[in-house]
Amino acid sequence: MTDSAGRKVTANLSLTLDGRYHGPAGPADMGAILPYATTEVARSHLARIWENATTAVLGRLNAEGFLGFWPTVAADENADPRDRGYAKWLVDAEKVVFSTTLTEAPWERARVVNAPAADVVTELKASGSGDILVNSSASVIKPLLAADLLDRLYLMICPEIAGGGPRLFDDGLPASKWRLAHHETGELGETAVVYDRVR
């Protein structure tokens, strides 16, 4: 029997050198991040993020965007096996989608919640087993950082300065210490890092 209190809350996100998760033109401004999304290091990192996770947590924008992309990868026998593994996991996993506007879930095995992220994740930690992965959704990661609920960060650092756009680490977060659990650098200078919260 798994101790449900032991569920880790993990999060993955790609960031530029100046800490942005998209550029100044809005969520579609991914020019400083996309060139590094399909490198060997990025694909290995993608395979790593879901290996212990049983629940995917997403913001609405990512849930809707992922729905248009990942199910086709899951069905594509010619896709990179790491991409396909992640895609199959995402399609099959329990999904929690944060939204103030959706009335029904955009995926199978998904439910929509309109509540504070810290409250919902605290409830998820209290039941079930396996890691809870907050999947590339800064709108959910930020309040969990503020509540000190994240146990592991999977970050992909892209060697570009976006010069504008929102940052992941805002001023006013509680002080915290992290231990480097893994790092790997690719040929383009992209670096995958895994940090565990020291408590």
Side-chain angles (χ1 to χ4, degrees), residues 49-188:
I49 66 172
W50 61 271
E51 61 189 356
N52 297 315
T54 55
T55 303
V57 174
L58 302 143
R60 178 188 61 82
L61 283 176
N62 275 357
E64 291 179 333
F66 286 7
L67 179 61
F69 180 73
W70 288 111
T72 58
V73 175
D76 182 358
E77 292 181 7
N78 297 315
D80 184 286
R82 293 164 294 187
D83 293 354
R84 196 164 182 220
Y86 168 76
K88 285 181 170 182
W89 170 80
L90 186 59
V91 168
D92 293 340
E94 171 195 22
K95 289 169 283 293
V96 177
V97 178
F98 282 87
S99 176
T100 57
T101 57
L102 289 177
T103 55
E104 58 184 55
W107 291 61
E108 289 182 23
R109 289 177 289 287
R111 63 185 171 99
V112 175
V113 293
N114 180 2
D119 294 350
V120 173
V121 168
T122 298
E123 287 176 18
L124 287 171
K125 278 178 67 84
S127 63
S129 62
D131 291 354
I132 300 159
L133 172 64
V134 185
N135 210 340
S136 297
S137 297
S139 63
V140 182
I141 296 170
K142 284 183 169 196
L144 296 181
L145 280 169
D148 195 18
L149 282 171
L150 289 177
D151 301 303
R152 172 169 275 193
L153 285 170
Y154 295 97
L155 300 176
M156 190 75 192
I157 310 301
C158 303
E160 296 194 22
I161 292 173
R167 287 191 170 100
L168 178 62
F169 301 108
D170 292 327
D171 288 347
L173 289 173
S176 58
K177 185 175 181 180
W178 299 78
R179 178 181 62 81
L180 182 66
H182 180 85
H183 75 284
E184 185 178 1
T185 302
E187 292 179 2
L188 300 177

